[in-house]
């Protein structure tokens, strides 16, 4: 298909179809890195409760695949994180296409209707609402493609989320304590093993946003700063030693990974944010080229 | 660890001797009820449209699909437990008002619910979180829906289930609480670990 032949409305229809199928598919199949990590973690567990939970998880994933159904009933609020190249030819239609895609996937999957309008306190019944689907934009100079991360933010796994601004003298010690406290209390209800996202920055909203971006990273990746990477590992090993286990029922390990993302801070503030992803971590990634051909990057060998 | 099969209506003697960590499989009527149902029933004091005495409630917001071949007009696609802690605020009064004997959810509930379970001879159990297709496959039929004006996740879906489980008992009729016990253990364990980590994160100059 040559993009020169596409009108804006044809391009929008095509983009909508791709993202709708991608969203539908992502609700039913966890990404490769998550499945691999869960398999690894499952092998480390031998206690009776841990076995019950991991066996249920894998049976559930198989059934979701076989019956073509969402892995978890809470298909979350759909969020898109878009990295758009400045030379992508269909900039104008992306936002509309993403909204349409949510509508379509809600019908086709089907997804649970999760968008509740604030103040009116009414569920819209469509998964579309004021500023929902939530879209985050990043502009990439010199590229002509777009990369979209889709994340389904479930209720249970969004509950432990929090950001706060520490005084610098509370130090990284304060950050460590903050993360442990959230994960070992509210985190145990959020369908562990969790993926723990931490953001460190100069103000609360940046820390919060980075903590969510940390959840988009592939499991096994590291913070680019050696101290950051070390802290990720230390917190992960420490949480594992607490032995939260699958479902919070205790076990040999606790978390799928700890990811830290950071931005330079103000001399007088040390802000920290946390976001947690549950074992059913529906985070997927697709690249769409300027001719609207695509590759799903999070799931090997998938044609939508 | 005992394995027990329960059928609704559940009597006190069916559950009195169950202890945290026991595993239950449920047959009979399981009715969803989460935040809005609890607040309507207790805070707003509305009469419940379903008789819950001796039955089981499920902290869950399902994905249902319209299906004209079903007498209720719906079939269940995916129905796993939601975070029980959110219902902690009204659960005790809810148990008193309805005579519910079995709560199904995920994660723990607090001291107030525990008190309610002791007083009303009821138990809280957890189904493996996120395992919603597995759960849906144990539902034989969606019998009816009430309070659908609350939206699909919050409505009361009356389901007939068979061998619905594994349900791990997390609060028993004696007031034992599995997750409170685990949480206490985690809190104790984490202190020396945090201290150890904090020896090596003194990055400030
Ligand atoms: S925390 Fe995740 S797996 Fe658990 S119910 Fe929520 S969305 Fe599903």
């Amino acid at each position: 298909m040559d993009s020169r032949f596409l009108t804006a409305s044809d391009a929008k229809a095509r983009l909508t179809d791709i993202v709708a199928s991608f969203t539908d598919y992502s609700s039913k199949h966890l990404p490769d890195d998550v499945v691999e990590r869960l398999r690894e973690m499952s092998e480390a567990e031998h206690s009776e409760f841990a076995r019950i939970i991991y066996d249920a998880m894998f049976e559930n994933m198989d059934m979701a695949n076989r019956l073509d159904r969402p892995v978890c009933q809470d298909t979350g609020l759909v969020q898109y994180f878009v990295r758009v190249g400045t030379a992508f030819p269909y900039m104008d239609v992306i936002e509309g296409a993403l909204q349409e895609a949510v509508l379509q996937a809600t019908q086709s999957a089907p997804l649970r209707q999760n968008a509740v309008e604030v103040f009116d306190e009414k569920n819209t019944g469509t998964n579309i609402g004021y500023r929902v689907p939530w879209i985050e934009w990043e502009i990439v100079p010199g590229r002509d493609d777009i990369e979209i991360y889709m994340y389904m933010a479930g209720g249970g796994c969004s509950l432990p989320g929090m950001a706060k601004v520490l005084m610098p003298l509370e130090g990284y010690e304060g950050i460590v304590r903050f993360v442990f406290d959230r994960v070992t209390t509210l985190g145990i209800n959020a369908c562990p093993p969790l993926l723990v996202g931490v953001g460190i920055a100069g103000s609360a909203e940046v820390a919060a946003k980075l903590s969510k971006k940390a959840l988009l990273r592939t499991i096994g990746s590291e913070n680019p700063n050696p101290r950051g990477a070390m802290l990720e590992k230390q917190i992960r090993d420490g949480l594992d030693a607490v032995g939260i286990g699958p479902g919070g029922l205790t076990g040999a390990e606790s978390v799928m990974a700890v990811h830290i993302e950071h931005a330079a801070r103000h001399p007088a503030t040390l802000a920290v944010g946390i976001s947690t992803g549950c074992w059913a971590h529906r985070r997927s990634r697709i690249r769409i080229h300027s001719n609207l051909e695509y590759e799903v990057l999070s799931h090997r060998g998938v044609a939508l | 660890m005992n394995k027990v099969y329960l059928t609704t209506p559940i009597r006190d003697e069916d559950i009195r001797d169950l202890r945290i960590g026991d595993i239950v499989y449920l047959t009979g009527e399981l009715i969803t009820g989460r935040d809005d149902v609890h607040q309507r029933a207790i805070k707003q004091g509305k009469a419940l449209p379903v008789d819950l005495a001796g039955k089981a409630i499920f902290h869950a917001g399902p994905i249902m699909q319209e299906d004209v071949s079903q007498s209720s007009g719906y079939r269940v696609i995916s129905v796993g437990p939601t975070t029980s802690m959110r219902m902690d605020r009204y659960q005790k009064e809810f148990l008193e008002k309805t005579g519910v004997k079995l709560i199904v959810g995920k994660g723990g509930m607090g001291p107030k619910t525990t008190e309610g379970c002791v007083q009303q001879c009821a138990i809280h159990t957890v189904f493996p979180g996120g395992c919603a297709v597995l759960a849906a496959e144990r539902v034989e039929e969606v019998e009816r829906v009430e309070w659908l004006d609350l939206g699909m996740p919050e409505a009361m879906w009356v389901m007939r289930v068979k061998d619905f489980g594994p349900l791990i008992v997390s609060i028993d009729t004696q007031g034992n609480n599995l997750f409170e016990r685990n949480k206490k253990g985690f809190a104790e364990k984490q202190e020396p670990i945090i201290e150890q980590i904090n020896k090596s994160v003194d990055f400030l100059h």
Side-chain angles (χ1 to χ4, degrees):
Chain A
M1 197 188 308
D2 191 318
S3 63
R4 280 170 306 174
F5 297 117
L6 286 185
T7 62
S9 78
D10 284 351
K12 183 179 172 198
R14 173 88 185 118
L15 261 180
T16 303
D17 281 348
I18 295 170
V19 179
S21 310
F22 168 66
T23 305
D24 176 315
Y25 185 87
S26 308
S27 73
K28 298 166 180 169
H29 307 267
L30 300 186
D32 297 340
D33 61 328
V34 172
V35 176
E36 257 161 55
R37 180 74 183 118
L38 288 173
R39 195 156 283 140
E40 219 174 81
M41 293 186 77
S42 166
E43 278 161 17
E45 296 289 354
H46 303 290
S47 78
E48 205 155 356
F49 283 150
R51 290 277 23 112
I52 289 175
I53 302 293
Y54 273 119
D55 290 348
M57 278 159 46
F58 280 96
E59 198 185 339
N60 186 69
M61 284 190 266
D62 280 352
M63 281 173 127
N65 185 27
R66 222 173 44 239
L67 300 171
D68 193 38
R69 294 194 192 168
V71 172
C72 176
Q73 84 289 339
D74 186 356
T75 48
L77 278 170
V78 180
Q79 305 180 330
Y80 294 109
F81 299 79
V82 186
R83 308 189 59 196
V84 57
T86 45
F88 183 70
Y90 304 112
M91 199 79 144
D92 283 349
V93 302
I94 301 173
E95 187 161 347
L98 295 180
Q99 284 165 353
E100 282 289 318
V102 170
L103 271 179
Q104 273 189 31
T106 299
Q107 294 296 321
S108 67
L111 306 179
R112 199 175 74 184
Q113 301 153 7
N114 274 340
V116 177
E117 289 295 8
V118 167
F119 299 125
D120 307 332
E121 287 303 309
K122 275 279 174 229
N123 191 320
T124 63
T126 59
N127 276 327
I128 303 286
Y130 185 58
R131 292 181 169 146
V132 158
W134 181 256
I135 303 171
E136 290 270 336
W137 298 96
E138 238 176 74
I139 297 186
V140 190
R143 288 194 71 109
D144 66 354
D145 55 4
I146 54 174
E147 209 177 287
I148 303 174
Y149 285 87
M150 193 282 324
Y151 179 64
M152 294 185 165
C157 49
S158 296
L159 264 178
M162 193 178 185
K164 72 179 194 179
V165 185
L166 305 177
M167 285 182 272
L169 295 188
E170 291 176 80
Y172 291 79
E173 293 87 335
I175 290 174
V176 170
R177 168 157 299 282
F178 173 77
V179 173
F180 269 79
D181 282 347
R182 298 307 284 180
V183 174
T184 62
T185 57
L186 286 170
I188 69 173
N189 300 329
C191 296
L194 303 182
L195 180 59
V196 180
V198 180
I200 305 176
S203 55
E205 90 289 3
V206 178
K209 197 175 277 193
L210 289 174
S211 75
K212 178 55 79 65
K213 289 211 168 164
L215 293 186
L216 304 180
R217 262 171 48 191
T218 306
I219 295 176
S221 60
E222 286 184 348
N223 183 286
N225 182 300
R227 281 179 169 173
M230 183 192 78
L231 191 57
E232 285 176 341
K233 185 174 177 335
Q234 283 179 318
I235 296 179
R236 184 187 112 185
D237 290 348
L239 285 170
D240 279 346
V242 172
I244 294 170
L249 293 164
T250 72
E253 292 178 316
S254 299
V255 294
M256 291 199 279
V258 175
H259 291 170
I260 303 177
E261 287 292 307
H262 64 283
R265 67 178 181 87
H266 185 281
T269 58
L270 180 60
V272 56
I274 187 169
S275 295
T276 53
C278 52
W279 74 264
H281 188 51
R282 283 129 320 150
R283 175 262 287 127
S284 51
R285 183 177 164 213
I286 190 170
R287 179 175 297 129
I288 304 175
H289 299 280
S290 58
N291 62 359
L292 302 191
E293 301 280 325
Y294 64 84
E295 303 144 70
V296 177
L297 303 171
S298 49
H299 299 69
R300 256 184 304 267
V302 172
L304 298 171
Chain B
M1 184 196 292
N2 288 311
K3 222 182 202 178
V4 181
Y5 290 82
L6 293 176
T7 305
T8 61
I10 299 165
R11 301 160 306 174
D12 289 359
E13 54 267 39
D14 299 333
I15 55 175
R16 192 175 287 127
D17 296 331
L18 292 178
R19 289 296 168 264
I20 51 172
D22 286 346
I23 310 267
V24 172
Y25 290 85
L26 175 77
T27 296
E29 278 195 316
L30 177 63
I31 300 110
T32 66
R34 35 185 265 165
D35 311 65
D36 288 355
V37 165
H38 283 74
Q39 86 109 21
R40 250 192 199 181
I42 305 305
K43 189 172 175 212
Q44 299 181 354
K46 292 204 176 131
L48 283 146
V50 186
D51 177 11
L52 294 175
K55 309 244 175 81
I57 55 158
F58 192 8
H59 294 157
I63 302 175
M64 295 286 180
Q65 192 168 46
E66 288 185 31
D67 181 348
V68 286
S69 73
Q70 306 290 310
S71 60
S72 66
Y74 289 94
R75 73 185 180 109
V76 62
I77 299 291
S78 202
V79 59
T82 196
T83 310
S84 288
M85 191 53 93
R86 297 200 316 272
M87 272 55 75
D88 206 33
R89 190 180 185 123
Y90 298 127
Q91 196 67 77
K92 180 172 180 237
E93 290 86 344
F94 194 87
L95 291 174
E96 279 163 21
K97 177 166 174 165
T98 59
V100 161
K101 287 288 148 194
L102 178 74
I103 310 166
V104 182
K106 76 168 161 103
M109 297 190 77
K112 199 175 149 204
T113 300
T114 310
E115 225 177 82
C117 285
V118 173
Q119 282 170 14
Q120 300 300 316
C121 192
I123 58 175
H124 177 262
T125 65
V126 295
F127 185 87
C131 298
V133 188
L134 196 68
E137 285 300 282
R138 308 275 157 86
V139 176
E140 290 190 312
E141 195 192 356
V142 179
E143 292 182 337
R144 63 195 169 104
V145 58
E146 299 287 347
W147 285 356
L148 190 54
D149 62 300
L150 295 172
M152 183 195 279
E154 298 291 336
M156 291 182 89
W157 297 92
V158 182
M159 302 182 291
R160 204 180 60 245
V161 301
K162 182 144 182 11
D163 293 337
F164 189 92
L167 305 174
I168 301 167
V169 177
S170 85
I171 301 174
D172 62 29
T173 59
Q174 298 286 300
N176 299 300
N177 188 321
L178 181 64
F179 284 94
E180 287 299 311
R181 196 183 66 185
N182 288 352
K183 242 169 40 188
K184 215 169 130 220
F186 300 148
E188 281 163 15
K189 259 183 160 170
Q190 77 173 23
E191 284 314 314
I193 295 170
I194 292 175
E195 236 168 80
Q196 190 58 36
I197 295 175
N198 282 351
K199 281 185 193 154
S200 56
V201 298
D202 188 10
F203 301 147
L204 301 185
H205 293 290

